Amino acid sequence: MKRILLFFTICFILFIIYYDVSVGTLPTAVPAAPSKTTDSVPAATVSLPFTETTIVPGDTLLSIVEHKQGGIPVSIEQVVTDFEKLNGIKPESMQIGKRYKIPVYK
């Protein structure tokens, strides 16, 4: 009985290693290309005040707004919505090294 259990355990471990090597269990490091949607507003037609910022490691949309303006003067939902209108992408899709338009509030 111990031999059968040992055999199945070894087979299971080999299957796990094979699956991890061939398919993988973690998402790929290369971000997927953003899909173009037809319901988004083109960035050229939006008339929100903004500044352009290059993203560095550790930056988030909210941390950039807080740093540039000393706090978040509007709701978080409004900041996210304005960012999406200006750039045509979601804040989660920001990539390090690229420039994005960050909304400015007075």
Side-chain angles (χ1 to χ4, degrees):
M1 186 68 164
K2 289 182 183 181
R3 288 183 184 176
I4 293 175
L5 183 61
L6 180 63
F7 175 74
F8 283 123
T9 304
I10 291 172
C11 288
F12 184 66
I13 290 172
L14 290 175
F15 173 75
I16 290 172
I17 292 170
Y18 169 76
Y19 185 81
D20 281 345
V21 171
S22 63
V23 177
T25 56
L26 298 175
T28 60
V30 179
S35 61
K36 301 221 177 202
T37 57
T38 57
D39 59 338
S40 64
V41 177
T45 61
V46 178
S47 63
L48 296 170
F50 64 88
T51 61
E52 287 197 20
T53 303
T54 302
I55 304 300
V56 295
D59 276 350
T60 64
L61 175 60
L62 297 179
S63 69
I64 294 170
V65 171
E66 285 178 340
H67 177 71
K68 297 238 182 225
Q69 300 179 27
I72 302 176
V74 296
S75 70
I76 294 172
E77 291 82 14
Q78 184 65 41
V79 174
V80 171
T81 303
D82 292 343
F83 178 82
E84 290 173 355
K85 286 180 184 176
L86 287 171
N87 297 289
I89 64 167
K90 293 190 178 290
E92 302 89 36
S93 301
M94 292 191 310
Q95 296 178 354
I96 296 171
K98 292 196 175 184
R99 293 184 64 80
Y100 294 100
K101 297 174 184 174
I102 307 298
V104 175
Y105 303 100
K106 297 186 183 209

